[in-house]
Amino acid sequence: MKSKVTKLFDYTRAEVPENLRRWRVTEEAMEEHLAVLSRSHALEKDAEEVRTGDSVVCRGESAVGRWNKPVLLFYPGSGLCEKVIEDALAGMKPGESRTIAASEGDVALTVTRIVRRESHPVDDELVKLEGIEGVETVEAYRRWYRETTEKADRQRNLSYLARHLLQEIEKNSEYDIDKAEETAWAEMQGEQWRKSEEAQGIDPSIPEEGTDFLTEEQIREKYIKLARPYFRARLARAAAVVALSGKDEETLYQEELAYEAEKYYHMSVEKMMEQIKGREDSFRDNAFFNLAERLLQERCETMMEE
């Protein structure tokens, strides 16, 4: 290949968003989670006076058919019915009646029941409702939530951070690009993307704007344009894995073939190669992307806040 990376960007110089460094559950986040948990197990009880957020059961009498029913449900503050009705219900008590001038005509409503949902107290009984084995107190739940959440958040952020650094490497490295080689690759990659989209029922001739269908040449140019930016990315990924591992590109590729054959395909390398026949270049690019992300994740450990 004539095209190459002439200067690989040093990923340790990249700016890292602070949110990708953080993975600990703060006390504020813990309190917010417990509040959500308490609302999810809210307790229902009868109330003596209608307030916003209540569920109100009424008997309706009206010349308007939809209001003339023995049972009507209202949720004051939800905006699900006319504001004049919701406003009129505020402060009413069970057994109380009120005639309201609704837009379709008068309606007489008698409140028969008021149901109020109140958040469950944050206590040991709330924790037991979650049914987590071995976790029966608030303190035990706090420990369990931190352990499970922080572990998942740290791994997720490591993945995001590695991907961010790889993008920085691709964007900031310096290249010597052979234009003919780049165009030939973009044309080949674009054709693969076109076939993939057509297999999904996507018509490549439909334009993103306007109404005129694209010609065959316009379709070809569209996919070349989409693929071209990825040419430099593939060069950067290959150079990055060599720099990060200290091994040559072909050795790394053979090792990655064996790794992916076992981990994802559950078959021999030979059988996997039969399955990817015709897609070898794309497979190689994806293999180096996956490897670069794994290698960067190992080095991202020191960038995470403790």
Side-chain angles (χ1 to χ4, degrees):
M1 180 177 284
K2 298 177 182 178
S3 300
K4 60 184 178 181
V5 175
T6 56
K7 185 176 181 181
L8 191 68
F9 177 70
D10 180 0
Y11 71 91
T12 62
R13 294 173 49 219
E15 290 188 14
V16 178
E18 280 303 312
N19 65 304
L20 293 184
R21 295 180 187 271
R22 301 192 192 105
W23 54 280
R24 294 288 189 188
V25 176
T26 64
E27 189 58 30
E28 181 183 4
M30 177 65 77
E31 292 303 320
E32 288 178 359
H33 172 73
L34 291 173
V36 170
L37 190 66
S38 71
R39 289 195 295 272
S40 70
H41 291 287
L43 305 171
E44 289 189 353
K45 68 175 187 178
D46 287 325
E48 295 301 316
E49 185 175 283
V50 175
R51 293 194 324 212
T52 297
D54 289 340
S55 300
V56 185
V57 184
C58 295
R59 181 176 65 253
E61 297 178 68
S62 174
V64 180
R66 72 189 188 102
W67 297 128
N68 191 44
K69 294 182 179 179
V71 177
L72 293 169
L73 289 175
F74 297 97
Y75 307 94
S78 67
L80 294 175
C81 71
E82 293 180 43
K83 188 174 184 301
V84 66
I85 296 178
E86 289 193 354
D87 290 346
L89 286 170
M92 290 182 68
K93 298 178 180 179
E96 185 177 348
S97 298
R98 195 171 285 178
T99 299
I100 305 162
S103 61
E104 297 173 276
D106 289 351
V107 54
L109 295 178
T110 300
V111 175
T112 58
R113 189 184 179 196
I114 305 166
V115 180
R116 183 166 299 152
R117 286 175 58 85
E118 292 188 348
S119 297
H120 195 294
V122 179
D123 55 16
D124 295 349
E125 290 305 313
L126 172 65
V127 172
K128 290 174 183 176
L129 290 172
E130 286 295 283
I132 303 168
E133 185 176 354
V135 180
E136 297 188 346
T137 66
V138 174
E139 283 309 306
Y141 184 85
R142 283 173 172 270
R143 288 194 299 272
W144 173 85
Y145 182 74
R146 285 187 189 280
E147 290 170 1
T148 55
T149 301
E150 289 180 347
K151 182 179 179 181
D153 285 354
R154 195 175 200 281
Q155 189 56 46
R156 180 200 64 204
N157 279 16
L158 274 173
S159 178
Y160 287 164
L161 180 53
R163 196 161 297 184
H164 168 76
L165 294 177
L166 186 54
Q167 289 172 347
E168 290 296 297
I169 291 172
E170 294 168 0
K171 181 173 66 176
N172 296 304
S173 293
E174 296 176 12
Y175 304 85
D176 179 11
I177 301 297
D178 182 281
K179 292 298 182 183
E181 190 174 57
E182 179 187 43
T183 299
W185 180 86
E187 187 166 9
M188 176 197 69
Q189 186 64 48
E191 183 61 23
Q192 288 185 8
W193 287 352
R194 174 181 178 173
K195 289 178 179 178
S196 175
E197 290 190 347
E198 286 177 332
Q200 298 173 55
I202 299 173
D203 186 346
S205 67
I206 297 176
E208 292 184 7
E209 297 179 359
T211 57
D212 294 333
F213 288 105
L214 301 180
T215 64
E216 190 61 31
E217 183 59 26
Q218 287 173 326
I219 293 172
R220 175 178 169 275
E221 289 299 325
K222 177 181 78 171
Y223 283 102
I224 289 176
K225 184 178 179 180
L226 287 171
R228 193 179 295 276
Y230 292 91
F231 184 70
R232 295 188 180 210
R234 71 191 296 263
L235 294 176
R237 293 167 188 172
V241 295
V242 169
L244 290 167
S245 68
K247 299 178 181 180
D248 66 86
E249 189 174 319
E250 192 55 37
T251 296
L252 287 168
Y253 182 54
Q254 293 303 320
E255 289 178 354
E256 191 63 14
L257 283 176
Y259 175 84
E260 299 207 5
E262 180 180 355
K263 185 173 180 64
Y264 302 118
Y265 287 77
H266 309 295
M267 60 180 64
S268 67
V269 172
E270 292 74 18
K271 286 187 177 180
M272 182 182 73
M273 294 304 291
E274 289 177 11
Q275 288 200 5
I276 65 171
K277 191 173 182 179
R279 300 184 287 114
E280 290 88 351
D281 279 350
S282 293
F283 186 87
R284 186 185 185 98
D285 292 342
N286 288 331
F288 281 146
F289 173 81
N290 294 334
L291 178 57
E293 189 172 307
R294 292 203 309 276
L295 292 172
L296 283 169
Q297 277 190 42
E298 293 172 4
R299 287 154 179 78
C300 286
E301 291 281 354
T302 57
M303 296 183 178
M304 303 294 285
E305 289 183 354
E306 291 301 329

